[in-house]
Amino acid sequence: MYMWDRIQEKLQILSDAAKYDVSCSSSGSKRSNDSKGLGHTTGAGICHSYTEDGRCVSLLKILLTNYCIYDCAYCVSRRSNDVKRVGFTVKEAVELTINFYRRNYIEGLFLSSGIFKNSDYTMERLVRVAKTLRTEYRFNGYIHLKTIPGCSEDLVKQAALYADRLSVNIELPSENSLKALAPEKNKTDIIRPMSYLSNSIEAYADEKKVIKSTPAFAPAGQSTQMVVGASPENDLQVMTIADALYKKYKLRRVYYSGYVPVSNDSRLPQLGTPVPMIRENRLYQADWLMRFYKFSLREIVDPAHPQLDLDIDPKLSWALRNLHLFPIDINHADYEMILRVPGIGVQSALRIIQGRRYSKLGWDQLKQMGIAVSRAKHFIVCTSKDHPRDINEAALRQRILRQSKYAATLTPQLSIF
Amino acid sequence: MTQLVYDGSFEGLLTSIFELYERKIGDARVVRNGSYQSELTASYLEIIPDQKKAERVWNGLKQKLSVDKRNEIYQCFLSELPEMEGTLVTFIRHVFDSKHSVEKDYSNKSVLAIEQIAHKVYREKHRMEAFVRFQRTTDDLYIASIDPDFNVLPLIISHFQERYADQHWLIYDNRRNYGIHYSKDTFSVQEVRMEWEAIAHHEFLPASTCHEEELVYQSLWKNYFQTINIQARNNHKLHIRHVPVRYWKYLTEKRTS
Ligand code: SF4
């Protein structure tokens, strides 16, 4: 029993330390189980549970160890913090993953680590866990490995051959903040593996088109995370970095993590400062608009509007700033423009395009298709005659804000401020 | 009006639709055996499932609909909702009576209704793929019981069959009293039925039938689940939306005892 108590304790400490990394995605990769071994990865990913803070639990998210030679101010595992230090052996990490997976608790493993000894030594251990899972246990579930900043390219390459996704965190939205809060890290150590991976992923993908037997190389690509609210950058700065990362390094995802105070360091928001959850949420919505709604960065934030509006979502915010483009005729407008109407999502837009081929659409049909007509009606015309009158930005904003459903979802979060 | 009473099987339902056309019954209602109520003004027709007739309807649908839409018909059937037969009959008639493909005509009520019901069923399927919790027994069987809102077990078999190809498993639907057993020796699945008393109210196995490490892993998982919550971000509303309370009884991490 003693052994299990030790494992219990390690799991507690090492999952507690890992939980501030918000990524839990298990999507973007397909692995079949042709060899009748264990596991498969379907591409869409599955959330097996949700914590009481409402976040998806998809992966076993742990550090291999919380020993760390660095002293990043925002991190619980920082060298100067007085916490108990433990570490899993490779075998322990592997057994936990397998046994959780077999019970259908998880989609796979997200393994990160404090830096012990040096970057290469740490990375080598992470790779060994992934390798053991894939080769000895014939595991086809999802593996996300953290790339340790400053580790060698050869280790990054090996990691990519076993893992589905790799990530190296940008950590903070400016080099100055990085210097101030994570003095031992530097931009180059973070960007270099990112750039190497981006090039290699592309090269492997190209080769695979010609040579089928080319091995999978980080098939779910790479992601990164930025902590927001720990340092003074505005949303324009945050989104500018995200935009550059998407374009330059073809990242699959940029995660925004509202800073959760973990220390009384005077460089940081004090303990008890609320987590900027609405801001975080707005950043995700803005990010979504860039990736799926074909919005450009400048349409969402610009020097005149450097912060996202906390009261309303960025799509509505854009529409209100651009009322001269509306209303659009839902029966004739093209897909891109329909997508930009507040209250219409991707699925509804597709339905409109398909449905209007059969008959022209009015409010009733639009409602049936699941469109939030109470919001969209201010921005569109259809066959129905009763359209809201022209109205100015301020009045429209007030009217939409008052709509009960919307206010209801916002208040519980707002009340914490 | 004519009431067509069928046995509740998919084949029976398709046979009913065959008869609607064969006998040119315009004003009709198709009902399941159990939910049939005699109505004075309605005549009664009992439908015996007939493979040939059912196939003819299905092949007819193949000519007119994409695979996705046909899957939606089946998913809709598995919903077991009271309005399911009515919706399906209206939709299938609309399909057969139209010259052109209608499956994307979302301005039509029945086209939308089918999609919406199928979507609900799909969500329940997806939930089961997420919320099934296996427990390992002393004889190395991974066992889970479920109680889904819709009859989604047939839809999740292939997912689990591929994922857990190297372990014996059994997923049992407590409400409908049947299960699927997979054997890693033959790589095949089999439908099983257990004596009701043997499984009723046993969402979790008694300790005596658990593998020696089972309870340890359950407790590791529960602790993990507690630890990764960030208190400063608690959001009960969101939590409940994602994991509705009715599923808690099967979730190891939500188990209170
Ligand atoms: S290197 Fe990583 S684990 Fe170590 S203190 Fe910095 S953020 Fe924390």
Side-chain angles (χ1 to χ4, degrees):
Chain A
M1 228 38 231
Y2 174 73
M3 177 192 93
W4 288 116
D5 289 345
R6 288 277 302 146
I7 302 275
Q8 193 79 258
E9 184 188 26
K10 288 185 191 180
L11 180 60
Q12 161 121 31
I13 293 172
L14 296 171
S15 61
D16 186 65
K19 72 185 175 190
Y20 300 100
D21 204 308
V22 290
S23 160
C24 200
S25 163
S26 56
S27 63
S29 181
K30 279 194 171 150
R31 274 175 206 274
S32 55
N33 186 6
D34 300 331
S35 64
K36 303 263 185 243
L38 174 63
H40 76 314
T41 308
T42 54
I46 298 176
C47 289
H48 284 272
S49 197
Y50 291 84
T51 45
E52 272 156 41
D53 55 25
R55 290 183 308 149
C56 157
V57 182
S58 180
L59 304 171
L60 169 62
K61 197 193 295 184
I62 47 172
L63 302 187
L64 195 57
T65 176
N66 65 340
Y67 285 99
C68 192
I69 55 172
Y70 283 11
D71 204 32
C72 310
Y74 48 84
C75 174
V76 278
S77 304
R78 65 189 181 279
R79 183 182 66 225
S80 61
N81 200 21
D82 182 20
V83 291
K84 183 158 186 181
R85 309 281 166 171
V86 292
F88 281 125
T89 64
V90 169
K91 183 148 195 275
E92 284 167 347
V94 166
E95 287 283 336
L96 258 182
T97 308
I98 294 290
N99 274 286
F100 277 10
Y101 193 86
R102 284 200 184 284
R103 287 166 177 77
N104 206 42
Y105 298 164
I106 53 170
E107 289 296 286
L109 173 67
F110 178 0
L111 188 63
S112 177
S113 185
I115 303 176
F116 52 108
K117 279 197 182 155
N118 58 50
S119 300
D120 276 354
Y121 188 85
T122 311
M123 193 64 202
E124 194 268 331
R125 287 298 163 88
L126 298 190
V127 170
R128 217 188 302 160
V129 172
K131 182 178 179 183
T132 310
L133 280 167
R134 292 278 189 243
T135 53
E136 282 174 41
Y137 287 75
R138 296 196 300 158
F139 177 71
N140 302 302
Y142 196 89
I143 300 179
H144 179 164
L145 289 187
K146 184 52 66 66
T147 310
I148 303 298
C151 79
S152 76
E153 264 177 22
D154 183 53
L155 283 168
V156 179
K157 180 179 165 188
Q158 285 186 49
L161 288 170
Y162 298 117
D164 295 284
R165 168 164 290 180
L166 296 175
S167 63
V168 47
N169 287 350
I170 287 282
E171 309 287 14
L172 294 160
S174 80
E175 223 178 328
N176 280 344
S177 293
L178 195 67
K179 276 207 190 94
L181 298 174
E184 291 114 331
K185 284 188 179 160
N186 65 66
K187 195 177 150 199
T188 329
D189 282 353
I190 293 168
I191 294 297
R192 206 190 294 123
M194 207 178 256
S195 150
Y196 164 77
L197 265 176
S198 152
N199 292 334
S200 309
I201 288 171
E202 212 162 309
Y204 271 84
D206 282 348
E207 194 176 320
K208 191 150 185 103
K209 281 182 210 142
V210 190
I211 306 164
K212 266 198 122 179
S213 60
T214 307
F217 191 87
Q222 53 175 335
S223 64
T224 192
Q225 162 171 305
M226 254 185 283
V227 176
V228 294
S231 48
E233 292 81 11
N234 61 27
D235 294 337
L236 174 61
Q237 285 169 285
V238 173
M239 296 301 299
T240 304
I241 295 184
D243 188 47
L245 292 174
Y246 282 128
K247 291 198 174 122
K248 206 161 170 196
Y249 302 117
K250 312 265 180 317
L251 292 203
R252 293 289 178 89
R253 283 296 294 276
V254 174
Y255 290 91
Y256 310 90
S257 172
Y259 176 65
V260 181
V262 291
S263 90
N264 260 328
D265 193 316
S266 62
R267 289 171 291 177
L268 287 164
Q270 290 308 289
L271 285 174
T273 310
V275 184
M277 278 161 59
I278 297 185
R279 180 180 180 202
E280 181 190 290
N281 188 31
R282 295 291 177 236
L283 284 167
Y284 278 115
Q285 289 173 324
D287 184 271
W288 201 259
L289 290 184
M290 292 202 300
R291 289 187 302 138
F292 300 113
Y293 286 75
K294 303 195 178 152
F295 277 81
S296 72
L297 172 69
R298 280 289 180 257
E299 288 177 301
I300 303 169
V301 274
D302 60 37
H305 306 89
Q307 295 287 21
L308 294 167
D309 195 327
L310 291 181
D311 289 339
I312 55 174
D313 69 77
K315 188 170 163 192
L316 179 57
S317 182
W318 171 82
L320 290 177
R321 289 197 305 272
N322 292 278
L323 280 177
H324 59 281
L325 301 173
F326 296 102
I328 59 155
D329 182 348
I330 212 72
N331 286 304
H332 294 102
D334 60 18
Y335 174 72
E336 264 87 37
M337 200 56 210
I338 292 176
L339 257 189
R340 290 180 166 234
V341 175
I344 299 182
V346 172
Q347 204 195 10
S348 315
L350 287 171
R351 280 188 182 161
I352 288 171
I353 298 284
Q354 278 158 347
R356 74 185 183 187
R357 288 197 197 123
Y358 296 88
S359 61
K360 296 279 171 251
L361 308 173
W363 296 136
D364 287 343
Q365 283 96 338
L366 291 171
K367 262 187 206 140
Q368 275 176 25
M369 289 175 177
I371 283 128
V373 169
S374 60
R375 175 173 297 204
K377 68 180 177 203
H378 303 288
F379 303 95
I380 56 179
V381 291
C382 55
T383 56
S384 305
K385 289 286 168 270
D386 50 332
H387 292 106
R389 296 256 173 124
D390 273 357
I391 198 164
N392 68 32
E393 177 182 343
L396 197 47
R397 186 186 165 95
Q398 275 314 313
R399 184 174 299 195
I400 291 175
L401 265 177
R402 249 184 282 121
Q403 273 160 17
S404 55
K405 188 176 152 203
Y406 187 64
T409 56
L410 204 63
T411 26
Q413 288 191 332
L414 266 176
S415 63
I416 62 168
F417 280 79
Chain B
M1 189 183 67
T2 314
Q3 294 209 54
L4 284 76
V5 183
Y6 78 108
D7 63 343
S9 71
F10 193 53
E11 198 174 288
L13 179 63
L14 292 178
T15 309
S16 310
I17 289 164
F18 181 88
E19 297 297 347
L20 285 180
Y21 278 90
E22 181 73 5
R23 300 174 190 229
K24 302 198 168 54
I25 310 173
D27 185 17
R29 213 166 77 200
V30 177
V31 290
R32 260 158 283 175
N33 235 329
S35 53
Y36 165 70
Q37 288 169 333
S38 76
E39 269 178 50
L40 284 176
T41 53
S43 59
Y44 170 98
L45 181 65
E46 191 183 334
I47 300 295
I48 315 286
D50 179 316
Q51 197 192 337
K52 283 224 174 74
K53 290 176 179 171
E55 261 170 20
R56 274 185 59 188
V57 173
W58 194 245
N59 288 335
L61 290 171
K62 271 191 193 166
Q63 312 277 317
K64 295 233 164 194
L65 296 175
S66 67
V67 190
D68 288 350
K69 212 65 191 174
R70 276 176 287 153
N71 284 340
E72 277 180 18
I73 291 178
Y74 183 54
Q75 288 170 11
C76 192
F77 163 76
L78 292 176
S79 76
E80 303 172 335
L81 288 169
E83 72 271 23
M84 172 269 287
E85 286 89 352
T87 313
L88 277 174
V89 168
T90 313
F91 172 70
I92 291 175
R93 282 195 147 153
H94 180 55
V95 170
F96 282 139
D97 297 349
S98 310
K99 281 210 185 72
H100 304 291
S101 161
V102 296
E103 67 174 71
K104 295 258 159 70
D105 179 7
Y106 294 112
S107 60
N108 178 286
K109 267 208 173 93
S110 72
V111 177
L112 254 173
I114 293 287
E115 189 182 282
Q116 279 156 356
I117 297 176
H119 186 68
K120 280 190 199 160
V121 174
Y122 177 79
R123 274 185 44 188
E124 186 74 351
K125 162 195 185 276
H126 196 71
R127 278 191 172 131
M128 286 304 123
E129 287 172 354
F131 294 159
V132 154
R133 295 287 178 266
F134 285 117
Q135 299 168 80
R136 188 180 186 184
T137 67
T138 40
D139 41 13
D140 230 1
L141 174 67
Y142 286 79
I143 188 167
S145 59
I146 57 173
D147 178 18
D149 290 349
F150 310 121
N151 183 19
V152 293
L153 190 48
L155 300 176
I156 63 177
I157 297 171
S158 60
H159 173 83
F160 284 100
Q161 195 167 3
E162 170 152 23
R163 174 157 297 196
Y164 299 112
D166 72 343
Q167 69 194 48
H168 297 299
W169 53 261
L170 168 67
I171 302 175
Y172 205 83
D173 184 332
N174 278 357
R175 190 186 302 190
R176 294 162 190 86
N177 195 24
Y178 79 105
I180 297 292
H181 175 260
Y182 169 84
S183 159
K184 69 176 181 184
D185 302 325
T186 57
F187 304 128
S188 62
V189 290
Q190 216 180 357
E191 190 174 319
V192 292
R193 256 166 217 282
M194 294 200 277
E195 286 302 317
W196 180 246
E197 299 77 42
I199 45 105
H201 313 301
H202 281 183
E203 279 112 31
F204 289 92
L205 295 175
S208 58
T209 45
C210 284
H211 183 271
E212 54 176 346
E213 288 180 353
E214 177 55 31
L215 296 178
V216 180
Y217 278 108
Q218 285 184 22
S219 121
L220 283 166
W221 172 244
K222 275 174 78 170
N223 282 347
Y224 173 72
F225 181 76
Q226 290 303 331
T227 310
I228 56 174
N229 184 43
I230 298 179
Q231 287 267 305
R233 304 180 57 118
N234 261 10
N235 188 341
H236 192 66
K237 254 195 189 156
L238 198 59
H239 176 62
I240 297 289
R241 173 141 42 99
H242 288 309
V243 196
V245 179
R246 64 182 185 280
Y247 298 102
W248 287 17
K249 57 185 171 183
Y250 295 107
L251 297 176
T252 317
E253 62 272 27
K254 280 290 180 189
R255 201 180 166 194
T256 42
S257 61

